Short mmCIF file of all heavy atoms in Angstrom, two decimals:
data_model
loop_
_atom_site.label_atom_id
_atom_site.label_comp_id
_atom_site.label_asym_id
_atom_site.label_seq_id
_atom_site.Cartn_x
_atom_site.Cartn_y
_atom_site.Cartn_z
N MET A 1 -26.84 -7.84 -3.75
CA MET A 1 -25.49 -8.19 -4.26
C MET A 1 -24.58 -8.66 -3.15
O MET A 1 -24.46 -7.99 -2.14
CB MET A 1 -24.85 -6.94 -4.91
CG MET A 1 -24.85 -6.94 -6.44
SD MET A 1 -23.98 -8.31 -7.21
CE MET A 1 -22.44 -7.51 -7.67
N ALA A 2 -23.93 -9.78 -3.36
CA ALA A 2 -23.04 -10.33 -2.35
C ALA A 2 -21.64 -9.71 -2.46
O ALA A 2 -21.30 -9.16 -3.51
CB ALA A 2 -22.93 -11.84 -2.54
N TYR A 3 -20.92 -9.80 -1.40
CA TYR A 3 -19.51 -9.36 -1.42
C TYR A 3 -18.68 -10.38 -2.17
O TYR A 3 -18.91 -11.58 -2.03
CB TYR A 3 -18.98 -9.20 -0.01
CG TYR A 3 -19.40 -7.93 0.68
CD1 TYR A 3 -20.59 -7.90 1.40
CD2 TYR A 3 -18.62 -6.79 0.60
CE1 TYR A 3 -21.00 -6.71 2.03
CE2 TYR A 3 -19.01 -5.62 1.22
CZ TYR A 3 -20.20 -5.58 1.95
OH TYR A 3 -20.61 -4.43 2.53
N THR A 4 -17.72 -9.92 -2.96
CA THR A 4 -16.85 -10.83 -3.65
C THR A 4 -15.40 -10.35 -3.52
O THR A 4 -15.13 -9.19 -3.32
CB THR A 4 -17.17 -10.93 -5.17
OG1 THR A 4 -17.20 -9.61 -5.72
CG2 THR A 4 -18.50 -11.60 -5.40
N ILE A 5 -14.50 -11.31 -3.66
CA ILE A 5 -13.07 -11.01 -3.56
C ILE A 5 -12.46 -11.05 -4.96
O ILE A 5 -12.67 -11.98 -5.71
CB ILE A 5 -12.35 -12.05 -2.67
CG1 ILE A 5 -12.83 -11.94 -1.24
CG2 ILE A 5 -10.83 -11.92 -2.77
CD1 ILE A 5 -12.33 -13.00 -0.30
N ASP A 6 -11.75 -9.96 -5.27
CA ASP A 6 -11.01 -9.88 -6.54
C ASP A 6 -9.64 -10.56 -6.34
O ASP A 6 -8.76 -10.00 -5.71
CB ASP A 6 -10.84 -8.42 -6.96
CG ASP A 6 -10.08 -8.27 -8.26
OD1 ASP A 6 -9.49 -9.24 -8.72
OD2 ASP A 6 -10.09 -7.14 -8.82
N ASN A 7 -9.52 -11.77 -6.83
CA ASN A 7 -8.30 -12.55 -6.60
C ASN A 7 -7.09 -11.97 -7.33
O ASN A 7 -5.95 -12.33 -7.03
CB ASN A 7 -8.51 -14.01 -6.96
CG ASN A 7 -9.34 -14.74 -5.90
OD1 ASN A 7 -10.45 -15.14 -6.17
ND2 ASN A 7 -8.83 -14.84 -4.70
N GLU A 8 -7.29 -11.05 -8.24
CA GLU A 8 -6.16 -10.39 -8.92
C GLU A 8 -5.53 -9.38 -7.99
O GLU A 8 -4.34 -9.10 -8.06
CB GLU A 8 -6.65 -9.68 -10.20
CG GLU A 8 -7.44 -10.56 -11.12
CD GLU A 8 -6.69 -10.78 -12.44
OE1 GLU A 8 -6.30 -9.80 -13.04
OE2 GLU A 8 -6.53 -11.96 -12.78
N LYS A 9 -6.34 -8.81 -7.09
CA LYS A 9 -5.86 -7.80 -6.16
C LYS A 9 -5.44 -8.42 -4.81
O LYS A 9 -4.63 -7.87 -4.11
CB LYS A 9 -6.95 -6.76 -5.87
CG LYS A 9 -7.18 -5.77 -6.97
CD LYS A 9 -8.14 -4.70 -6.46
CE LYS A 9 -8.48 -3.69 -7.53
NZ LYS A 9 -9.56 -2.80 -7.00
N CYS A 10 -6.04 -9.54 -4.46
CA CYS A 10 -5.81 -10.17 -3.15
C CYS A 10 -4.36 -10.51 -2.91
O CYS A 10 -3.68 -11.04 -3.80
CB CYS A 10 -6.69 -11.41 -3.07
SG CYS A 10 -6.40 -12.39 -1.56
N LEU A 11 -3.88 -10.19 -1.68
CA LEU A 11 -2.49 -10.48 -1.30
C LEU A 11 -2.35 -11.77 -0.50
O LEU A 11 -1.28 -12.15 -0.11
CB LEU A 11 -1.96 -9.31 -0.44
CG LEU A 11 -2.14 -7.91 -0.99
CD1 LEU A 11 -1.88 -6.86 0.08
CD2 LEU A 11 -1.23 -7.69 -2.19
N GLY A 12 -3.49 -12.39 -0.21
CA GLY A 12 -3.49 -13.61 0.54
C GLY A 12 -3.14 -13.46 2.02
O GLY A 12 -2.66 -14.39 2.65
N CYS A 13 -3.42 -12.29 2.59
CA CYS A 13 -3.02 -12.02 3.98
C CYS A 13 -3.92 -12.70 5.02
O CYS A 13 -3.50 -12.94 6.15
CB CYS A 13 -3.03 -10.54 4.25
SG CYS A 13 -4.71 -9.82 4.25
N GLY A 14 -5.15 -13.03 4.63
CA GLY A 14 -6.07 -13.71 5.55
C GLY A 14 -6.82 -12.83 6.52
O GLY A 14 -7.56 -13.29 7.37
N ALA A 15 -6.65 -11.49 6.43
CA ALA A 15 -7.32 -10.55 7.34
C ALA A 15 -8.84 -10.66 7.22
O ALA A 15 -9.56 -10.58 8.22
CB ALA A 15 -6.86 -9.13 7.06
N CYS A 16 -9.34 -10.88 6.01
CA CYS A 16 -10.78 -10.97 5.82
C CYS A 16 -11.36 -12.19 6.52
O CYS A 16 -12.35 -12.09 7.23
CB CYS A 16 -11.10 -11.02 4.32
SG CYS A 16 -10.18 -12.32 3.42
N ALA A 17 -10.67 -13.32 6.37
CA ALA A 17 -11.15 -14.56 7.02
C ALA A 17 -11.09 -14.40 8.54
O ALA A 17 -12.00 -14.89 9.24
CB ALA A 17 -10.28 -15.73 6.54
N ALA A 18 -10.06 -13.71 9.04
CA ALA A 18 -9.90 -13.55 10.48
C ALA A 18 -11.01 -12.64 11.06
O ALA A 18 -11.45 -12.85 12.18
CB ALA A 18 -8.52 -12.96 10.80
N THR A 19 -11.44 -11.64 10.32
CA THR A 19 -12.41 -10.70 10.83
C THR A 19 -13.88 -11.14 10.62
O THR A 19 -14.77 -10.63 11.29
CB THR A 19 -12.20 -9.31 10.21
OG1 THR A 19 -12.84 -8.32 11.04
CG2 THR A 19 -12.72 -9.19 8.80
N CYS A 20 -14.09 -12.08 9.74
CA CYS A 20 -15.47 -12.45 9.40
C CYS A 20 -16.15 -13.12 10.61
O CYS A 20 -15.69 -14.13 11.12
CB CYS A 20 -15.51 -13.41 8.21
SG CYS A 20 -17.17 -13.91 7.79
N PRO A 21 -17.27 -12.56 11.07
CA PRO A 21 -17.95 -13.08 12.27
C PRO A 21 -18.66 -14.41 12.06
O PRO A 21 -19.02 -15.09 13.03
CB PRO A 21 -18.96 -11.96 12.64
CG PRO A 21 -19.23 -11.30 11.34
CD PRO A 21 -17.98 -11.36 10.54
N VAL A 22 -18.91 -14.77 10.83
CA VAL A 22 -19.61 -16.02 10.57
C VAL A 22 -18.80 -17.03 9.80
O VAL A 22 -19.34 -18.02 9.25
CB VAL A 22 -20.96 -15.74 9.81
CG1 VAL A 22 -21.91 -14.96 10.69
CG2 VAL A 22 -20.72 -14.95 8.52
N SER A 23 -17.49 -16.80 9.72
CA SER A 23 -16.57 -17.73 9.03
C SER A 23 -17.03 -18.05 7.61
O SER A 23 -17.05 -19.19 7.19
CB SER A 23 -16.41 -19.03 9.81
OG SER A 23 -15.90 -18.75 11.10
N ALA A 24 -17.38 -17.00 6.86
CA ALA A 24 -17.86 -17.21 5.51
C ALA A 24 -16.73 -17.21 4.48
O ALA A 24 -16.96 -17.48 3.30
CB ALA A 24 -18.88 -16.11 5.14
N ILE A 25 -15.49 -16.89 4.93
CA ILE A 25 -14.41 -16.79 3.96
C ILE A 25 -13.43 -17.95 4.14
O ILE A 25 -12.90 -18.22 5.21
CB ILE A 25 -13.66 -15.45 4.12
CG1 ILE A 25 -14.65 -14.29 3.99
CG2 ILE A 25 -12.54 -15.33 3.08
CD1 ILE A 25 -14.04 -12.93 4.14
N GLU A 26 -13.25 -18.67 3.04
CA GLU A 26 -12.37 -19.84 3.04
C GLU A 26 -11.24 -19.61 2.05
O GLU A 26 -11.42 -18.91 1.05
CB GLU A 26 -13.14 -21.07 2.59
CG GLU A 26 -14.27 -21.45 3.55
CD GLU A 26 -15.39 -22.22 2.83
OE1 GLU A 26 -15.20 -22.59 1.65
OE2 GLU A 26 -16.42 -22.43 3.50
N SER A 27 -10.11 -20.24 2.31
CA SER A 27 -9.05 -20.17 1.29
C SER A 27 -8.81 -21.57 0.74
O SER A 27 -8.80 -22.56 1.49
CB SER A 27 -7.77 -19.63 1.89
OG SER A 27 -7.04 -20.58 2.59
N ASP A 28 -8.66 -21.63 -0.54
CA ASP A 28 -8.41 -22.88 -1.23
C ASP A 28 -7.07 -22.68 -1.96
O ASP A 28 -7.01 -21.92 -2.90
CB ASP A 28 -9.55 -23.13 -2.24
CG ASP A 28 -9.35 -24.41 -3.01
OD1 ASP A 28 -8.48 -25.24 -2.60
OD2 ASP A 28 -10.05 -24.62 -4.02
N SER A 29 -6.06 -23.31 -1.50
CA SER A 29 -4.67 -23.15 -1.99
C SER A 29 -4.32 -21.67 -2.18
O SER A 29 -3.91 -21.27 -3.27
CB SER A 29 -4.41 -23.90 -3.26
OG SER A 29 -5.45 -24.71 -3.68
N GLY A 30 -4.55 -20.87 -1.16
CA GLY A 30 -4.16 -19.44 -1.16
C GLY A 30 -5.14 -18.53 -1.84
O GLY A 30 -4.97 -17.31 -1.81
N LYS A 31 -6.20 -19.08 -2.41
CA LYS A 31 -7.22 -18.23 -3.04
C LYS A 31 -8.37 -18.06 -2.09
O LYS A 31 -9.03 -19.06 -1.73
CB LYS A 31 -7.70 -18.86 -4.34
CG LYS A 31 -6.87 -18.54 -5.56
CD LYS A 31 -7.67 -18.78 -6.82
CE LYS A 31 -7.17 -17.91 -7.96
NZ LYS A 31 -8.05 -17.97 -9.13
N TYR A 32 -8.65 -16.81 -1.73
CA TYR A 32 -9.75 -16.58 -0.77
C TYR A 32 -11.07 -16.40 -1.48
O TYR A 32 -11.14 -15.80 -2.56
CB TYR A 32 -9.42 -15.34 0.07
CG TYR A 32 -8.38 -15.69 1.12
CD1 TYR A 32 -7.02 -15.75 0.79
CD2 TYR A 32 -8.77 -16.02 2.43
CE1 TYR A 32 -6.06 -16.10 1.75
CE2 TYR A 32 -7.80 -16.34 3.38
CZ TYR A 32 -6.50 -16.41 3.05
OH TYR A 32 -5.55 -16.76 3.96
N LYS A 33 -12.10 -16.94 -0.86
CA LYS A 33 -13.43 -16.94 -1.47
C LYS A 33 -14.49 -16.74 -0.41
O LYS A 33 -14.40 -17.26 0.70
CB LYS A 33 -13.64 -18.30 -2.14
CG LYS A 33 -14.56 -18.29 -3.32
CD LYS A 33 -14.54 -19.66 -4.04
CE LYS A 33 -15.20 -20.72 -3.22
NZ LYS A 33 -15.18 -22.07 -3.84
N ILE A 34 -15.54 -15.96 -0.75
CA ILE A 34 -16.64 -15.72 0.18
C ILE A 34 -17.79 -16.67 -0.15
O ILE A 34 -18.23 -16.72 -1.30
CB ILE A 34 -17.10 -14.25 0.10
CG1 ILE A 34 -16.00 -13.35 0.59
CG2 ILE A 34 -18.37 -14.08 0.94
CD1 ILE A 34 -16.28 -11.85 0.40
N ASN A 35 -18.25 -17.37 0.85
CA ASN A 35 -19.43 -18.24 0.68
C ASN A 35 -20.66 -17.36 0.86
O ASN A 35 -21.02 -16.98 1.96
CB ASN A 35 -19.38 -19.36 1.69
CG ASN A 35 -20.53 -20.33 1.54
OD1 ASN A 35 -21.53 -20.02 0.89
ND2 ASN A 35 -20.41 -21.52 2.12
N ALA A 36 -21.33 -17.07 -0.24
CA ALA A 36 -22.48 -16.14 -0.25
C ALA A 36 -23.66 -16.67 0.55
O ALA A 36 -24.50 -15.94 1.04
CB ALA A 36 -22.92 -15.83 -1.65
N ASP A 37 -23.73 -18.00 0.75
CA ASP A 37 -24.81 -18.61 1.49
C ASP A 37 -24.64 -18.36 3.00
O ASP A 37 -25.61 -18.43 3.74
CB ASP A 37 -24.87 -20.12 1.24
CG ASP A 37 -25.24 -20.44 -0.18
OD1 ASP A 37 -25.89 -19.62 -0.84
OD2 ASP A 37 -24.85 -21.56 -0.66
N VAL A 38 -23.41 -18.10 3.41
CA VAL A 38 -23.12 -17.91 4.84
C VAL A 38 -22.96 -16.41 5.19
O VAL A 38 -23.33 -15.98 6.29
CB VAL A 38 -21.83 -18.66 5.20
CG1 VAL A 38 -21.47 -18.47 6.68
CG2 VAL A 38 -21.98 -20.16 4.91
N CYS A 39 -22.47 -15.63 4.26
CA CYS A 39 -22.20 -14.19 4.47
C CYS A 39 -23.45 -13.44 4.88
O CYS A 39 -24.53 -13.62 4.32
CB CYS A 39 -21.65 -13.62 3.16
SG CYS A 39 -21.40 -11.85 3.18
N ILE A 40 -23.29 -12.59 5.94
CA ILE A 40 -24.42 -11.76 6.42
C ILE A 40 -24.24 -10.28 5.91
O ILE A 40 -24.94 -9.40 6.37
CB ILE A 40 -24.54 -11.81 7.94
CG1 ILE A 40 -23.21 -11.40 8.63
CG2 ILE A 40 -24.96 -13.21 8.41
CD1 ILE A 40 -23.33 -11.20 10.14
N GLU A 41 -23.26 -10.09 5.05
CA GLU A 41 -23.03 -8.79 4.41
C GLU A 41 -22.77 -7.66 5.42
O GLU A 41 -23.29 -6.56 5.29
CB GLU A 41 -24.18 -8.44 3.47
CG GLU A 41 -24.44 -9.55 2.47
CD GLU A 41 -25.09 -9.08 1.17
OE1 GLU A 41 -25.33 -7.90 1.03
OE2 GLU A 41 -25.31 -9.98 0.32
N CYS A 42 -21.95 -7.96 6.42
CA CYS A 42 -21.65 -6.96 7.45
C CYS A 42 -20.61 -5.91 6.93
O CYS A 42 -20.52 -4.84 7.50
CB CYS A 42 -21.12 -7.64 8.70
SG CYS A 42 -19.50 -8.37 8.49
N GLY A 43 -19.80 -6.30 5.97
CA GLY A 43 -18.81 -5.36 5.42
C GLY A 43 -17.47 -5.32 6.12
O GLY A 43 -16.59 -4.59 5.67
N SER A 44 -17.29 -6.10 7.19
CA SER A 44 -16.03 -6.08 7.93
C SER A 44 -14.82 -6.49 7.07
O SER A 44 -13.77 -5.87 7.12
CB SER A 44 -16.07 -7.05 9.11
OG SER A 44 -16.95 -6.56 10.08
N CYS A 45 -15.04 -7.47 6.25
CA CYS A 45 -13.90 -7.95 5.41
C CYS A 45 -13.47 -6.88 4.45
O CYS A 45 -12.27 -6.65 4.26
CB CYS A 45 -14.32 -9.21 4.65
SG CYS A 45 -15.81 -9.05 3.67
N ALA A 46 -14.44 -6.17 3.83
CA ALA A 46 -14.10 -5.13 2.89
C ALA A 46 -13.35 -3.99 3.60
O ALA A 46 -12.38 -3.45 3.05
CB ALA A 46 -15.36 -4.59 2.23
N SER A 47 -13.77 -3.64 4.83
CA SER A 47 -13.09 -2.56 5.57
C SER A 47 -11.68 -2.98 5.98
O SER A 47 -10.80 -2.12 6.00
CB SER A 47 -13.85 -2.25 6.85
OG SER A 47 -15.20 -2.13 6.61
N ASP A 48 -11.49 -4.23 6.30
CA ASP A 48 -10.17 -4.67 6.78
C ASP A 48 -9.19 -5.08 5.68
O ASP A 48 -8.01 -5.24 5.96
CB ASP A 48 -10.37 -5.86 7.76
CG ASP A 48 -10.82 -5.42 9.13
OD1 ASP A 48 -11.30 -4.26 9.23
OD2 ASP A 48 -10.73 -6.19 10.06
N CYS A 49 -9.64 -5.24 4.47
CA CYS A 49 -8.74 -5.69 3.43
C CYS A 49 -7.74 -4.61 3.04
O CYS A 49 -8.12 -3.51 2.60
CB CYS A 49 -9.57 -6.09 2.17
SG CYS A 49 -8.49 -6.58 0.79
N PRO A 50 -6.44 -4.88 3.19
CA PRO A 50 -5.42 -3.89 2.91
C PRO A 50 -5.22 -3.63 1.41
O PRO A 50 -4.64 -2.63 1.02
CB PRO A 50 -4.14 -4.48 3.52
CG PRO A 50 -4.37 -5.94 3.49
CD PRO A 50 -5.87 -6.14 3.70
N ALA A 51 -5.76 -4.53 0.61
CA ALA A 51 -5.57 -4.40 -0.84
C ALA A 51 -6.84 -3.86 -1.54
O ALA A 51 -6.84 -3.74 -2.75
CB ALA A 51 -5.22 -5.77 -1.44
N ASN A 52 -7.86 -3.55 -0.73
CA ASN A 52 -9.12 -3.07 -1.30
C ASN A 52 -9.64 -4.05 -2.37
O ASN A 52 -10.11 -3.63 -3.43
CB ASN A 52 -8.91 -1.66 -1.89
CG ASN A 52 -10.24 -0.93 -2.11
OD1 ASN A 52 -11.20 -1.22 -1.44
ND2 ASN A 52 -10.25 -0.02 -3.06
N ALA A 53 -9.55 -5.33 -2.05
CA ALA A 53 -9.88 -6.38 -2.99
C ALA A 53 -11.32 -6.90 -2.86
O ALA A 53 -11.77 -7.72 -3.64
CB ALA A 53 -8.90 -7.51 -2.91
N ILE A 54 -12.03 -6.40 -1.82
CA ILE A 54 -13.39 -6.94 -1.59
C ILE A 54 -14.42 -5.84 -1.84
O ILE A 54 -14.37 -4.78 -1.29
CB ILE A 54 -13.51 -7.47 -0.12
CG1 ILE A 54 -12.40 -8.47 0.16
CG2 ILE A 54 -14.88 -8.12 0.08
CD1 ILE A 54 -12.43 -9.02 1.54
N HIS A 55 -15.37 -6.22 -2.72
CA HIS A 55 -16.41 -5.27 -3.08
C HIS A 55 -17.76 -5.92 -3.17
O HIS A 55 -17.86 -7.12 -3.38
CB HIS A 55 -16.08 -4.61 -4.43
CG HIS A 55 -14.87 -3.78 -4.40
ND1 HIS A 55 -14.86 -2.51 -3.89
CD2 HIS A 55 -13.59 -4.04 -4.75
CE1 HIS A 55 -13.63 -2.03 -3.97
NE2 HIS A 55 -12.85 -2.92 -4.49
N LYS A 56 -18.77 -5.08 -3.03
CA LYS A 56 -20.11 -5.57 -3.13
C LYS A 56 -20.56 -5.48 -4.59
O LYS A 56 -20.12 -4.55 -5.29
CB LYS A 56 -21.04 -4.72 -2.27
CG LYS A 56 -22.12 -5.51 -1.68
CD LYS A 56 -22.93 -4.69 -0.70
CE LYS A 56 -24.08 -5.56 -0.21
NZ LYS A 56 -24.95 -4.87 0.69
S1 LIG B 1 -19.33 -9.16 4.58
FE1 LIG B 1 -19.11 -9.82 6.75
S2 LIG B 1 -20.14 -11.79 6.83
FE2 LIG B 1 -19.71 -11.37 4.69
S3 LIG B 1 -17.77 -12.37 4.25
FE3 LIG B 1 -17.36 -10.19 4.79
S4 LIG B 1 -16.92 -10.23 7.01
FE4 LIG B 1 -17.94 -12.18 6.50
S1 LIG B 2 -8.05 -9.25 3.42
FE1 LIG B 2 -7.93 -8.74 1.20
S2 LIG B 2 -5.82 -9.14 0.63
FE2 LIG B 2 -6.16 -10.17 2.59
S3 LIG B 2 -6.76 -12.29 2.03
FE3 LIG B 2 -8.67 -11.08 2.25
S4 LIG B 2 -9.13 -10.36 0.18
FE4 LIG B 2 -6.98 -11.01 0.20
#
């Protein structure tokens, strides 16, 4: 199972994109999205998200 971002909970802070070691998180007009093809499932984004919006 890949990590996904719940855009209803996301605050758009960008912390997940900043912490991702492989730049798998992109924002498209303020909506953050994880590219599952690039993600190595390290869990950093989920740990750093202040809104608890990222889950596996
Ligand atoms: S789990 Fe790790 S590799 Fe995947 S998007 Fe989050 S920070 Fe990036
Ligand atoms: S860290 Fe959480 S709240 Fe911040 S942009 Fe990423 S998913 Fe949204």
Side-chain angles (χ1 to χ4, degrees):
M1 255 301 258
Y3 281 88
T4 53
I5 293 174
D6 180 346
N7 285 113
E8 306 247 308
K9 285 187 182 173
C10 175
L11 308 167
C13 69
C16 53
T19 198
C20 181
V22 293
S23 301
I25 305 180
E26 296 154 8
S27 82
D28 179 14
S29 353
K31 273 200 155 190
Y32 284 80
K33 207 172 71 181
I34 295 173
N35 183 342
D37 294 335
V38 179
C39 174
I40 55 170
E41 306 206 1
C42 69
S44 291
C45 55
S47 315
D48 283 16
C49 177
N52 197 27
I54 306 179
H55 295 281
K56 216 174 176 182

